[in-house]
Amino acid sequence: MSRVVVIGLTSLMLAACGPGDQTSAPEVAAPAPTAPASVTAVNPAGAWTKIRITGLTCGDNCYLRIQPIDGGEANEVMCSAELCTPWFEGQALAAGVTDKAWEVQMGTLDQLDNEGTVMDDNFPAIIALREAT
């Protein structure tokens, strides 16, 4: 029994490392983020907010760090927009992403941990994303 726990803990520790930290263990691809059925729009239909993307943090989920262009509080949010998928899969932002202005439509998603347990059923999320015009 203790052998299984040690192997399980070792696997979890290796899975928590970034791709550059894993030298002997095979890389396990994170599941592609998908928009759960519980996506809820917060902005009125068609309302877009201009933001800057200032970073990306990945753990059980990946989160974009965003700053409203017109001022206001910076925030870490989930993203269900298609443009976020390659960033989340690669756990890195593409070159130039932080140099651009973006427009987002905000909503909420279920925030899940690695086991699929709902941690927050009303987590702020980008539901639509495009380059600002």
Side-chain angles (χ1 to χ4, degrees), residues 14-28 58 89-92:
L14 289 173
C17 297
D21 297 332
Q22 295 180 4
T23 55
S24 60
E27 249 183 74
V28 176
C58 291
E89 288 174 348
Q91 297 187 9

Side-chain angles (χ1 to χ4, degrees), residues 37-127:
S38 61
V39 173
T40 306
V42 173
N43 289 345
W48 291 87
T49 303
K50 287 190 177 184
I51 57 109
R52 290 225 183 266
I53 297 172
T54 60
L56 175 73
T57 303
C58 291
D60 283 358
N61 298 288
C62 285
Y63 304 89
L64 288 179
R65 287 189 304 276
I66 61 171
Q67 175 72 48
I69 287 184
D70 62 357
E73 197 171 315
N75 203 357
E76 266 193 342
V77 300
M78 294 174 66
C79 182
S80 65
E82 254 184 74
L83 285 174
C84 294
T85 301
W87 305 335
F88 289 2
E89 288 174 348
Q91 297 187 9
L93 293 172
V97 168
T98 58
D99 299 330
K100 298 177 184 175
W102 297 88
E103 292 178 323
V104 296
Q105 288 182 329
M106 296 299 297
T108 61
L109 295 172
D110 287 344
Q111 179 190 38
L112 307 175
D113 65 12
N114 276 337
E115 287 78 39
T117 304
V118 175
M119 304 304 292
D120 186 339
D121 62 356
N122 198 27
F123 199 85
I126 295 169
I127 59 173

